[in-house]
Amino acid sequence: MNLQLTLAARYLSGRKLRSVLTTLAIVFGAVVIFGMNTMLPAFTGAFQANALAASGQVDASITLRTSDIFDSRIVDRVAAIDGVRAFSGLLNRAINLPPDYLDADPGTPDAISAVTLVGVDPAQATTVHAYVLRAGRFLGENDSAAAVISQSLADVLDVEVGDPIRLPTASGEAELTVVGIQPTRLVPGNEEVLVTLRQAQVMLGMPGKINTIEVNFDSLDEDRRNQIEESLLAALGDTYQVGALASNSELLTNLRLARQIFNLLAVMALVMGGFIIFNTFRTIVAERRRDIGMLRALGATRWTIVGVILSEGLLQGIVGTAIGIALGYALAVGMISVLNPVMHQYINMRIDTPAISPLLVVLTGLIGVGVTLFAGLLPAISAGRVTPLEALRPSVGRVSLRRLAGLGFWGGLAMIVLAVLALLTHNMSLIGLGGVLFVAGLILAAPALVNPIANLFGALAAKVFARDGTAALAQGNISRQPSRAAITASTTLIALAILVMAAGLFSSVELGFGRVLRRSLGSDYILLPPAVAVWGADVGADPALAEELRGIQGVEVVSTLRFAPTLINGVATSAMGIEPANYSQVSSLAFTRGDEEEAYAALSEGRNLIVNGVLATAAQITVGDEVELITPTGRHAYQVVAIAGDYLNAKIATAYISHANIAGDFGRNEDVLIQANLTSGVDRSVVEAAIRDAVRPYPQFRMVAGQEFIEENLQVFKTAFVGVYGMVIFLAVPSLIAMVNTLAIGVIERTREIGVLRAVGATRRQVRTIVVTEALILSAIGTAFGLLSGIYLGYMAVGAMVAAGFPMEYAFPAAGSLIAIAAGILFGVLAAIIPARQAARLEIVQALRYE
Amino acid sequence: MAIIQAHQLSKVYGAGDTAVTALDRVSLSVDPGEFVAVMGPSGCGKSTLLHLLGGLDRPTEGTVSIDGHKLTDLSDAQLTELRRRRIGFVFQFFNLIPVLNAVENAALPVTLDGVRPAEARAKAVIWLTKVGLGDRRSHRPDQLSAGQQQRVAIARALVAEPALVLADEPTGNLDTRASDEIAALLRQVANEWGRAVIMVTHDPRIAAYADRIIFLKDGAIADETVLEPKNAQNAAMVAGKMQAIGT
């Protein structure tokens, strides 16, 4: 083992550049795995701490499972439970503030962008909490328009006891008088504005409602407390829950999704790293055949040789993973420090410096080292099979097509055929499997296809720029080692397949979502809340605003959206209230099942609903099904009449019901989004001015022209695409490393041959051209295969998105394919720079003497 | 008693119309302490014979016995062990591991045999000193001259105290002076240190250092000559023999 590690360390340090490049492949993967899995838990932990802090220091918080409002008389049921010492019903809601609402200064970043309005029964609340005050007094039973705030909020607002503060409400802007100031807020979460319960109900348009009951028990005994909790649930019913606030917010869901995506990227980076290691070790074994043969001649066993190769892999794996872990942690800390100011500004949350998880260190180490060893295993075993004699004679055998066109080729071809057949089944599971088969089949069949493709691109190169026989030499060099060429091309294949797949996916997303976007937001004017699609945190307007807008001359139709949270088949769902009679005049759902006219008509009659694709998939429901919605007034059965979706709720499980049902079953009449169309031929500027006047008392709304909002959102797509292309480039770097490795080894192996070429009159430029042409042929092979794979994978990805309920249709990635071809050519040129220079600078005599 | 015996050794490459007979029923034996040179024109089968004698390749027909062990009866693992313990190899192109220094290269056979590093190193130092490289033990191959590298290779061939040393064109890559030094060293290996040495060479001047010369032509033994020790005419005589055989 000593000898093996000694040889491994010496060989690695003897080829520093190659060792660094190969180790980089492992570093990439380890950075992503460790960095993302360190950072994202820190985010989710902070969110959960935020939720817990919001729930306060009480024994139990009772809420509806949907987090919705419920009748305040439910408190009586809680009071009747044996073991309940104190209780307090409250209505709390986060209110997103429009930009510059507090400071009216666009030049200064907003210190506070949201507050939580907390309505409490003063008598009940003081039995559950001890409210410490620095100045003034607490709320009284008979207070109206009074508020208690923290010192930190008072500092931002620059107010004292007796001063007024203003907040946007459903009935317009409300003015409150500060009657008391609490100490500076230290726990995470929004600043709170405490008002009486009645005041909060008026401000939020939720008369007689609360959404939380805080309870303290009369016992510290664990079993007794569990008993009391069970009694509470028995009394309240299974639509309620006892515990911390629900953590199924969209943000947490997105964080979990982000973690899955990053882990997938990390796995892909490691797989590519594995390819590079495999390729490098194959070429190392080829390069050291003489050394290996000599060791065997001296009496080294096969396993000793295997151990030498694997020891190199082990060292690279350990070093690469260790560096990756260190850099990953630095990345996590760096990203958190960059994001913390933004988090603090928008959601008043701070992420702590992440802790290093020993389990994650071990897991990352195992994965990093494991991939390296696994990738090096086959080359190591192959090295062990080198006989002493084989290594003492140079290999000059001709490549036999029969040997190549063996099991690997036919097996690969069979897999490709199966993959194409899978496409025809339109079954997503089979198509997904087909994706894996297609790529694997191409890689298996590649060695046998290298020669014909190399001939084709060699001939092309000869016509374009390598007319002096150099292209033929380059093509011959590649044909001599088809397996090595195929493995090198495979890393390019993977990188470009991902690029083309992403291009196909995004073209399709843009096409599909773009169509939905134009249908959903095609009205003349839209009144937007501060956080679009995070409806629960927005304060809307009572129906009076929509009525006022309808009364403006020139306004033809006004339609509004209302929101209530619910659960359908256990899936957290946004119930969106629409006006079936006029919704389709200002907006439209994109229907995939069911008739549009009939569906809108059905919504007006009885309990019928339209579900979007995401909900249909998640809850396993379809047209005609009867489903149960959990509401503040109990469980209600609804009939699914169609599957359709709009742009704003495209990613969230959404059910569309009528305004009448959302008011009746959920008690909601707050408009969270308003769209208006003008009568044709009117003076737009006059009507727009009138609309602005009507909206002025409701600063929580931003008025935009529909077209303007569409452009804004299309721009968001483009920005997201750029970000993802950046990630694809990240994955493409390992493929570049692989090509540089292969070309460099090729130059070393053919040192004497290059010496002969120079001796018989080839110029340095011609030698460079041979290497560059080789690189271009290699990248052409990889690009061709990558294009084919990427197109298949893109089609598969779009199919998967459609199956998951997103409104999309496949768009061929013409631009993406061109970019992939350009990237392939660029790879080839970049990869050839160093090896070409090496080859051209070889001294003729030394090269001829080289063994 | 002979340390190595080859009986009717033949090696044929390929089959049918493309078959090439590299060696045709060659028999020989070498005693301990004997220095035998094998000569012949290019392609006559010299290196093939050496490879068969060293167990690096298997004959098509015939047998090779080293120390009473028939090589054809041994498995790959047993052959490997034999090469480690009973045979030393010296190649034309030194074949030193470029990332190991002189001591580490010289110690390779015993290190591979599981000898403790300190002991292996000590043995290697002894043999490096014997071949005149005691002061170069920490040097890497690229820091040694061609002759010095070949000395390291000879020390490596001897470190495991083998009974037999096989040298394939050991002076092929050296200048005249270095060639003479290496040839003299091989003579010392045989005569002073008691190993059987079989050396393949095309150089009559180097072959003249041997006790006996076997001439191959077209895969078969064409002639065999015993040389008088320290006869200054040996080289000329060998050259003449080579010409007569038709090289």
Side-chain angles (χ1 to χ4, degrees), chain A residues 2-3 6-14 290-302 304-305 384 387-393 752 849 851, chain B residues 13 48 51 55-58 76-77 80-81 83-85 87 89 91 93-101 104-105 108-109 111-112 117 140 156-157 173:
Chain A
N2 229 352
L3 173 68
T6 305
L7 279 172
R10 300 279 180 88
Y11 276 124
L12 283 172
S13 63
R290 179 159 280 177
D291 283 359
I292 294 170
M294 191 277 301
L295 281 170
R296 292 279 286 130
L298 291 179
T301 63
R302 293 184 198 282
T304 302
I305 302 299
T387 68
L389 198 58
E390 232 177 272
L392 295 174
R393 291 183 182 147
R752 185 187 273 185
R849 283 199 189 135
E851 284 293 339
Chain B
Y13 294 103
T48 304
H51 295 157
L56 298 176
D57 198 0
R58 291 198 185 261
D76 181 73
T80 304
E81 189 183 309
R83 289 198 300 273
R84 230 171 25 241
R85 295 181 178 177
I87 308 173
F89 288 94
F91 302 105
F93 295 106
F94 329 128
N95 285 29
L96 300 180
I97 303 285
V99 296
L100 300 178
N101 62 26
E104 289 161 342
N105 265 296
L108 263 178
T111 307
L112 289 168
R140 295 235 174 139
R156 183 182 66 191
N173 231 31

XYZ file of all heavy atoms in Angstrom, chain A residues 2-3 6-14 290-302 304-305 384 387-393 752 849 851, chain B residues 13 48 51 55-58 76-77 80-81 83-85 87 89 91 93-101 104-105 108-109 111-112 117 140 156-157 173:
602
model
N 1.994 1.185 0.761
C 2.938 2.284 0.806
C 3.419 2.644 -0.591
O 3.436 3.814 -0.980
C 4.137 1.839 1.647
C 4.446 2.900 2.677
O 3.875 3.976 2.653
N 5.353 2.574 3.566
N 3.851 1.594 -1.335
C 4.368 1.821 -2.679
C 3.297 2.419 -3.557
O 3.552 3.332 -4.334
C 4.874 0.488 -3.269
C 5.281 0.549 -4.751
C 6.525 1.394 -4.908
C 5.517 -0.858 -5.297
N 2.752 5.966 -2.651
C 3.922 6.753 -3.045
C 3.898 7.014 -4.542
O 4.060 8.162 -4.992
C 5.226 6.007 -2.695
O 5.217 5.688 -1.313
C 6.447 6.845 -3.035
N 3.663 5.952 -5.321
C 3.609 6.116 -6.777
C 2.479 7.059 -7.159
O 2.659 7.937 -8.013
C 3.407 4.754 -7.453
C 4.651 3.890 -7.625
C 4.274 2.503 -8.112
C 5.640 4.536 -8.568
N 1.320 6.890 -6.517
C 0.166 7.731 -6.851
C 0.488 9.200 -6.609
O 0.261 10.058 -7.470
C -1.043 7.312 -6.012
N 1.054 9.487 -5.430
C 1.370 10.881 -5.093
C 2.400 11.452 -6.049
O 2.289 12.596 -6.501
C 1.861 10.974 -3.656
N 3.398 10.630 -6.393
C 4.464 11.134 -7.275
C 3.928 11.390 -8.680
O 4.268 12.393 -9.303
C 5.597 10.112 -7.357
C 6.250 9.801 -6.044
C 7.266 10.838 -5.632
N 7.861 10.475 -4.356
C 8.934 9.689 -4.221
N 9.537 9.215 -5.307
N 9.400 9.390 -3.037
N 3.112 10.458 -9.189
C 2.565 10.656 -10.534
C 1.677 11.894 -10.581
O 1.711 12.665 -11.530
C 1.759 9.426 -10.989
C 2.591 8.320 -11.583
C 2.553 7.040 -11.068
C 3.416 8.564 -12.686
C 3.316 6.024 -11.624
C 4.183 7.551 -13.236
C 4.134 6.278 -12.701
O 4.876 5.266 -13.248
N 0.883 12.072 -9.520
C -0.011 13.228 -9.499
C 0.784 14.535 -9.475
O 0.462 15.486 -10.173
C -0.934 13.164 -8.269
C -2.082 12.187 -8.363
C -2.793 12.074 -7.020
C -3.077 12.612 -9.439
N 1.838 14.555 -8.667
C 2.598 15.805 -8.579
C 3.482 16.001 -9.801
O 3.905 17.108 -10.094
C 3.437 15.837 -7.307
O 4.378 14.797 -7.341
N 3.726 14.909 -10.549
C 4.526 15.036 -11.765
C 3.749 15.658 -12.918
O 4.330 16.175 -13.853
N 4.160 1.202 -20.581
C 5.522 0.678 -20.417
C 5.858 0.542 -18.938
O 6.399 -0.467 -18.508
C 6.508 1.609 -21.109
C 7.948 1.127 -20.955
C 8.843 1.685 -22.001
N 8.716 0.966 -23.258
C 9.349 1.276 -24.377
N 10.133 2.331 -24.412
N 9.208 0.570 -25.473
N 5.544 1.567 -18.154
C 5.808 1.490 -16.712
C 5.044 0.326 -16.099
O 5.567 -0.415 -15.261
C 5.361 2.787 -16.021
C 6.349 3.924 -16.251
O 7.368 3.687 -16.922
O 6.087 5.034 -15.753
N 3.788 0.195 -16.505
C 2.955 -0.878 -15.936
C 3.538 -2.237 -16.307
O 3.677 -3.131 -15.464
C 1.503 -0.775 -16.442
C 0.849 0.505 -15.904
C 0.689 -1.986 -16.014
C -0.489 0.834 -16.537
N 3.894 -2.369 -17.586
C 4.474 -3.640 -18.025
C 5.762 -3.949 -17.305
O 6.034 -5.095 -16.926
N 6.556 -2.909 -17.067
C 7.823 -3.118 -16.375
C 7.581 -3.578 -14.951
O 8.243 -4.489 -14.448
C 8.630 -1.809 -16.404
C 10.061 -1.961 -15.958
S 10.245 -1.920 -14.175
C 9.565 -0.319 -13.855
N 6.600 -2.935 -14.290
C 6.264 -3.353 -12.929
C 5.814 -4.814 -12.910
O 6.193 -5.577 -12.025
C 5.144 -2.464 -12.368
C 5.576 -1.085 -11.857
C 4.363 -0.215 -11.568
C 6.430 -1.224 -10.599
N 5.013 -5.179 -13.895
C 4.586 -6.588 -13.981
C 5.777 -7.497 -14.243
O 5.872 -8.590 -13.669
C 3.554 -6.745 -15.105
C 2.233 -6.073 -14.830
C 1.333 -6.909 -13.928
N 0.793 -8.036 -14.657
C 0.826 -9.301 -14.234
N 1.365 -9.615 -13.068
N 0.313 -10.261 -14.962
N 6.697 -7.029 -15.099
C 7.898 -7.828 -15.367
C 8.720 -8.021 -14.102
O 9.315 -9.076 -13.879
C 8.747 -7.161 -16.450
N 8.725 -7.012 -13.242
C 9.496 -7.102 -11.996
C 8.789 -7.930 -10.940
O 9.353 -8.204 -9.892
C 9.739 -5.696 -11.442
C 10.683 -4.814 -12.238
C 10.803 -3.455 -11.559
C 12.058 -5.454 -12.367
N 7.527 -8.255 -11.196
C 6.845 -9.121 -10.235
C 5.672 -8.485 -9.520
O 5.181 -9.037 -8.539
N 5.196 -7.340 -10.017
C 4.003 -6.767 -9.412
C 2.793 -7.578 -9.842
O 2.658 -7.920 -11.005
C 3.843 -5.320 -9.847
N 1.913 -7.878 -8.882
C 0.703 -8.624 -9.223
C -0.289 -7.689 -9.909
O -0.146 -6.465 -9.884
C 0.044 -9.212 -7.968
O -0.368 -8.110 -7.128
C 0.994 -10.114 -7.207
N -1.305 -8.303 -10.503
C -2.354 -7.486 -11.143
C -2.976 -6.539 -10.131
O -3.250 -5.379 -10.429
C -3.449 -8.391 -11.697
C -3.029 -9.276 -12.840
C -4.254 -10.045 -13.338
N -3.882 -11.195 -14.134
C -3.488 -11.152 -15.404
N -3.415 -10.008 -16.032
N -3.166 -12.246 -16.040
N -1.727 -5.298 -7.471
C -0.831 -4.189 -7.130
C -1.000 -3.064 -8.144
O -1.079 -1.891 -7.776
C 0.630 -4.657 -7.127
O 0.770 -5.727 -6.197
C 1.569 -3.527 -6.746
N -1.085 -3.435 -9.421
C -1.256 -2.426 -10.475
C -2.602 -1.727 -10.316
O -2.700 -0.501 -10.404
C -1.165 -3.072 -11.873
C 0.165 -3.796 -12.060
C -1.378 -2.025 -12.955
C 1.376 -2.894 -11.960
N -4.535 -3.630 -14.807
C -4.085 -4.879 -14.194
C -3.971 -6.003 -15.197
O -3.231 -6.964 -14.992
N -0.186 -7.234 -19.782
C 0.861 -8.230 -19.524
C 2.217 -7.557 -19.672
O 2.324 -6.534 -20.353
C 0.781 -9.392 -20.517
O 1.136 -8.903 -21.821
C -0.617 -9.987 -20.555
N 3.230 -8.122 -19.080
C 4.559 -7.510 -19.187
C 5.006 -7.365 -20.643
O 5.556 -6.355 -21.027
C 5.471 -8.499 -18.451
C 4.574 -9.317 -17.617
C 3.238 -9.340 -18.260
N 4.689 -8.363 -21.423
C 5.151 -8.356 -22.809
C 4.419 -7.321 -23.637
O 5.020 -6.605 -24.447
C 4.945 -9.740 -23.417
C 5.749 -10.001 -24.687
C 7.221 -9.823 -24.399
C 5.465 -11.393 -25.186
N 3.129 -7.214 -23.404
C 2.333 -6.238 -24.154
C 2.903 -4.844 -24.013
O 2.892 -4.058 -24.955
C 0.907 -6.254 -23.597
C -0.174 -6.422 -24.633
C -1.541 -6.499 -23.992
O -1.958 -7.615 -23.634
O -2.151 -5.442 -23.804
N 3.363 -4.560 -22.812
C 3.833 -3.208 -22.571
C 5.232 -2.959 -23.131
O 5.616 -1.808 -23.306
C 3.842 -2.936 -21.078
N 5.978 -4.035 -23.390
C 7.326 -3.838 -23.919
C 7.306 -3.654 -25.424
O 8.279 -3.256 -26.026
C 8.219 -5.045 -23.558
C 8.455 -5.213 -22.057
C 9.221 -6.495 -21.780
C 9.228 -4.025 -21.509
N 6.125 -3.951 -26.032
C 6.012 -3.749 -27.476
C 5.000 -2.647 -27.714
O 3.921 -2.685 -27.149
C 5.504 -5.025 -28.147
C 6.505 -6.135 -28.124
C 5.947 -7.318 -28.878
N 6.871 -8.437 -28.852
C 6.520 -9.704 -28.835
N 5.241 -10.016 -28.832
N 7.405 -10.663 -28.821
N 7.125 11.449 -30.781
C 8.099 11.061 -31.819
C 7.504 11.280 -33.198
O 8.182 11.734 -34.128
C 8.484 9.592 -31.635
C 9.577 9.171 -32.614
C 9.824 7.715 -32.553
N 10.794 7.412 -31.513
C 11.264 6.188 -31.306
N 10.834 5.174 -32.017
N 12.150 5.961 -30.359
N 13.970 11.499 -30.353
C 14.590 10.603 -29.381
C 13.578 10.109 -28.356
O 13.886 9.211 -27.591
C 15.678 11.356 -28.620
C 16.934 11.546 -29.386
C 18.055 11.871 -28.417
N 19.243 12.262 -29.171
C 19.995 13.290 -28.878
N 19.707 14.037 -27.837
N 21.046 13.576 -29.599
N 10.958 8.352 -26.078
C 10.431 6.987 -25.983
C 9.229 6.988 -25.051
O 9.310 7.521 -23.965
C 11.516 6.053 -25.417
C 12.574 5.701 -26.443
C 12.047 4.845 -27.598
O 11.004 4.200 -27.438
O 12.667 4.846 -28.657
N 3.806 -16.793 -34.203
C 2.789 -15.739 -34.136
C 1.843 -15.891 -35.309
O 2.265 -16.163 -36.428
C 3.434 -14.350 -34.183
C 4.288 -14.032 -32.983
C 5.676 -14.086 -33.068
C 3.699 -13.711 -31.763
C 6.455 -13.809 -31.961
C 4.483 -13.425 -30.657
C 5.862 -13.476 -30.760
O 6.630 -13.205 -29.671
N 12.659 -12.443 -28.474
C 11.614 -13.445 -28.238
C 12.141 -14.543 -27.317
O 11.473 -14.952 -26.361
C 11.140 -14.067 -29.567
O 10.710 -13.026 -30.444
C 10.007 -15.054 -29.343
N 12.359 -13.216 -23.749
C 11.041 -13.086 -23.138
C 10.499 -14.436 -22.698
O 9.870 -14.556 -21.642
C 10.065 -12.419 -24.107
C 10.419 -11.001 -24.431
N 9.996 -10.368 -25.574
C 11.194 -10.103 -23.776
C 10.482 -9.135 -25.604
N 11.206 -8.950 -24.522
N 9.766 -15.886 -18.728
C 8.366 -16.075 -18.360
C 7.486 -14.893 -18.718
O 6.359 -14.773 -18.234
N 7.992 -13.993 -19.562
C 7.170 -12.850 -19.975
C 6.199 -13.239 -21.081
O 5.237 -12.530 -21.340
C 8.068 -11.710 -20.475
C 9.043 -11.134 -19.448
C 9.944 -10.088 -20.095
C 8.286 -10.519 -18.280
N 6.489 -14.344 -21.705
C 5.634 -14.824 -22.794
C 5.609 -16.339 -22.707
O 6.482 -16.965 -22.090
C 6.202 -14.353 -24.144
C 5.168 -14.436 -25.261
O 4.017 -14.849 -24.993
O 5.519 -14.095 -26.410
N 4.605 -16.958 -23.324
C 4.504 -18.428 -23.270
C 4.858 -19.013 -24.635
O 4.432 -18.490 -25.670
C 3.089 -18.836 -22.869
C 2.781 -18.472 -21.422
C 1.589 -19.255 -20.894
N 1.223 -18.813 -19.556
C 1.582 -19.455 -18.441
N 2.324 -20.525 -18.497
N 1.196 -19.004 -17.263
N -0.263 -17.597 -13.743
C 0.212 -16.213 -13.899
C 0.737 -15.681 -12.575
O 1.777 -15.009 -12.511
C -0.934 -15.314 -14.409
C -0.468 -13.878 -14.610
O 0.266 -13.624 -15.567
O -0.821 -13.015 -13.778
N 0.034 -15.979 -11.485
C 0.470 -15.494 -10.172
C 1.811 -16.112 -9.790
O 2.697 -15.441 -9.245
C -0.590 -15.822 -9.123
N 4.526 -14.559 -11.793
C 4.806 -13.225 -11.265
C 5.743 -13.312 -10.074
O 6.700 -12.548 -9.945
C 3.494 -12.536 -10.857
O 2.619 -12.512 -11.993
C 3.731 -11.124 -10.390
N 5.452 -14.265 -9.194
C 6.300 -14.438 -8.011
C 7.710 -14.846 -8.410
O 8.704 -14.388 -7.834
C 5.669 -15.498 -7.103
C 6.354 -15.591 -5.752
C 5.747 -16.696 -4.892
O 4.513 -16.715 -4.745
O 6.521 -17.527 -4.412
N 9.268 -14.080 -11.160
C 9.968 -12.906 -11.689
C 10.437 -12.003 -10.556
O 11.475 -11.362 -10.629
C 9.065 -12.117 -12.639
C 8.805 -12.784 -13.961
C 8.293 -11.774 -14.977
N 7.050 -11.147 -14.568
C 5.847 -11.655 -14.809
N 5.732 -12.812 -15.440
N 4.753 -11.018 -14.422
N 9.637 -11.960 -9.495
C 9.982 -11.104 -8.364
C 11.197 -11.626 -7.619
O 12.037 -10.875 -7.156
C 8.793 -11.072 -7.390
C 8.392 -9.692 -6.994
C 7.124 -9.538 -6.220
N 6.624 -10.607 -5.444
C 5.443 -11.167 -5.675
N 4.707 -10.790 -6.707
N 5.004 -12.129 -4.898
N 11.281 -12.956 -7.488
C 12.272 -13.504 -6.557
C 13.454 -14.190 -7.234
O 14.521 -14.263 -6.650
C 11.578 -14.530 -5.644
C 10.539 -13.897 -4.759
C 9.871 -14.907 -3.854
N 8.903 -14.253 -2.994
C 8.124 -14.903 -2.145
N 8.176 -16.213 -2.058
N 7.260 -14.248 -1.394
N 14.260 -13.950 -10.853
C 14.784 -13.403 -12.110
C 14.953 -11.892 -11.982
O 14.088 -11.217 -11.416
C 13.840 -13.689 -13.296
C 13.493 -15.182 -13.368
C 14.441 -13.211 -14.610
C 12.440 -15.496 -14.413
N 15.638 -8.433 -14.391
C 15.556 -7.959 -15.775
C 16.314 -6.656 -15.938
O 16.233 -5.764 -15.099
C 14.103 -7.717 -16.189
C 13.309 -8.968 -16.384
C 12.542 -9.494 -15.355
C 13.334 -9.638 -17.602
C 11.826 -10.665 -15.544
C 12.606 -10.797 -17.783
C 11.857 -11.316 -16.749
N 16.601 -3.895 -19.117
C 16.056 -3.607 -20.445
C 16.920 -2.593 -21.177
O 17.706 -1.872 -20.568
C 14.631 -3.050 -20.339
C 13.676 -3.977 -19.631
C 13.272 -3.726 -18.336
C 13.196 -5.118 -20.261
C 12.396 -4.580 -17.688
C 12.321 -5.968 -19.617
C 11.927 -5.708 -18.323
N 15.946 0.195 -22.588
C 15.600 1.577 -22.280
C 15.397 1.785 -20.778
O 14.545 2.554 -20.361
C 14.344 1.986 -23.060
C 14.571 1.997 -24.533
C 14.052 1.004 -25.344
C 15.343 2.984 -25.128
C 14.272 1.003 -26.715
C 15.572 2.990 -26.495
C 15.046 1.998 -27.290
N 16.165 1.095 -19.983
C 16.254 1.246 -18.521
C 14.926 0.987 -17.817
O 14.884 0.296 -16.814
C 16.786 2.633 -18.093
C 17.762 3.247 -19.061
C 17.581 4.526 -19.533
C 18.843 2.509 -19.518
C 18.483 5.073 -20.432
C 19.747 3.056 -20.419
C 19.565 4.358 -20.882
N 13.836 1.571 -18.352
C 12.512 1.339 -17.768
C 12.448 1.633 -16.284
O 11.888 0.876 -15.491
C 12.035 -0.090 -18.047
C 11.598 -0.233 -19.483
O 12.094 0.468 -20.361
N 10.682 -1.133 -19.738
N 13.106 2.688 -15.867
C 12.962 3.128 -14.480
C 11.657 3.913 -14.349
O 11.217 4.534 -15.304
C 14.134 4.036 -14.086
C 15.530 3.394 -14.192
C 16.601 4.403 -13.784
C 15.618 2.147 -13.324
N 11.064 3.840 -13.159
C 9.856 4.622 -12.900
C 10.289 6.080 -12.742
O 11.074 6.395 -11.840
C 9.131 4.151 -11.617
C 8.774 2.679 -11.709
C 7.906 5.001 -11.354
C 7.615 2.376 -12.618
N 9.800 6.965 -13.595
C 10.325 8.336 -13.596
C 10.053 9.111 -12.320
O 10.774 10.054 -12.008
C 9.610 8.984 -14.800
C 8.434 8.131 -15.077
C 8.766 6.760 -14.618
N 9.027 8.714 -11.566
C 8.682 9.502 -10.360
C 9.361 8.957 -9.089
O 9.139 9.495 -8.008
C 7.149 9.560 -10.148
C 6.485 10.300 -11.301
C 6.553 8.181 -9.988
N 10.153 7.877 -9.225
C 10.867 7.338 -8.057
C 12.348 7.640 -8.197
O 12.873 7.692 -9.312
C 10.663 5.817 -7.956
C 9.219 5.334 -7.793
C 9.186 3.800 -7.753
C 8.601 5.904 -6.519
N 13.025 7.806 -7.041
C 14.462 8.061 -7.121
C 15.214 6.734 -7.242
O 14.615 5.658 -7.322
C 14.936 8.895 -5.931
C 14.721 8.187 -4.599
O 14.671 6.950 -4.550
N 14.595 8.951 -3.527
N 14.530 4.050 -4.568
C 13.163 3.518 -4.677
C 13.019 2.620 -5.902
O 12.348 1.589 -5.863
C 12.153 4.666 -4.730
C 12.007 5.395 -3.404
C 11.382 6.765 -3.556
O 11.371 7.312 -4.684
O 10.903 7.318 -2.540
N 13.666 3.025 -7.002
C 13.624 2.183 -8.199
C 14.343 0.861 -7.949
O 13.829 -0.205 -8.296
C 14.270 2.906 -9.386
C 13.248 3.629 -10.242
O 12.379 3.004 -10.852
N 13.325 4.936 -10.265
N 12.394 -1.720 -5.879
C 11.063 -2.138 -6.349
C 10.766 -3.639 -6.210
O 9.718 -3.998 -5.655
C 10.864 -1.720 -7.803
C 10.099 -0.406 -8.008
C 10.011 -0.083 -9.486
C 8.709 -0.467 -7.410
N 11.624 -4.542 -6.679
C 11.261 -5.969 -6.597
C 11.001 -6.429 -5.167
O 10.046 -7.176 -4.914
C 12.463 -6.684 -7.200
C 13.083 -5.677 -8.099
C 12.877 -4.358 -7.406
N 10.229 -4.473 -2.589
C 9.066 -3.754 -2.067
C 7.796 -4.448 -2.524
O 6.864 -4.657 -1.732
C 9.057 -2.305 -2.571
O 10.308 -1.692 -2.279
C 7.938 -1.502 -1.906
N 7.782 -4.829 -3.799
C 6.611 -5.542 -4.335
C 6.421 -6.882 -3.651
O 5.312 -7.403 -3.567
C 6.773 -5.751 -5.845
C 6.656 -4.480 -6.699
C 7.117 -4.760 -8.123
C 5.226 -3.972 -6.710
N 9.655 -1.383 4.217
C 10.329 -0.305 3.490
C 11.769 -0.070 3.929
O 12.652 0.104 3.093
C 9.454 0.914 3.793
C 8.098 0.361 4.060
C 8.322 -0.967 4.702
N 16.610 11.325 -9.171
C 15.563 10.764 -10.031
C 16.177 10.402 -11.391
O 17.234 10.915 -11.741
C 14.454 11.786 -10.239
C 13.723 12.119 -8.982
C 12.253 11.904 -9.136
N 11.593 12.107 -7.857
C 10.465 12.722 -7.695
N 9.845 13.216 -8.724
N 9.924 12.839 -6.504
N 18.595 -2.879 -9.458
C 17.220 -3.345 -9.294
C 17.104 -4.819 -9.642
O 16.388 -5.576 -8.997
C 16.295 -2.522 -10.190
C 14.822 -2.871 -10.056
C 13.981 -2.061 -11.014
N 14.271 -2.402 -12.395
C 13.844 -1.700 -13.438
N 13.129 -0.607 -13.256
N 14.134 -2.071 -14.671
N 17.822 -5.226 -10.690
C 17.767 -6.633 -11.117
C 18.372 -7.557 -10.075
O 18.054 -8.747 -10.033
C 18.472 -6.791 -12.449
N 21.414 1.729 -25.741
C 21.150 3.160 -25.665
C 22.319 3.954 -25.077
O 22.147 5.096 -24.660
C 19.924 3.365 -24.760
C 18.898 4.235 -25.436
O 18.769 4.228 -26.646
N 18.165 4.987 -24.633
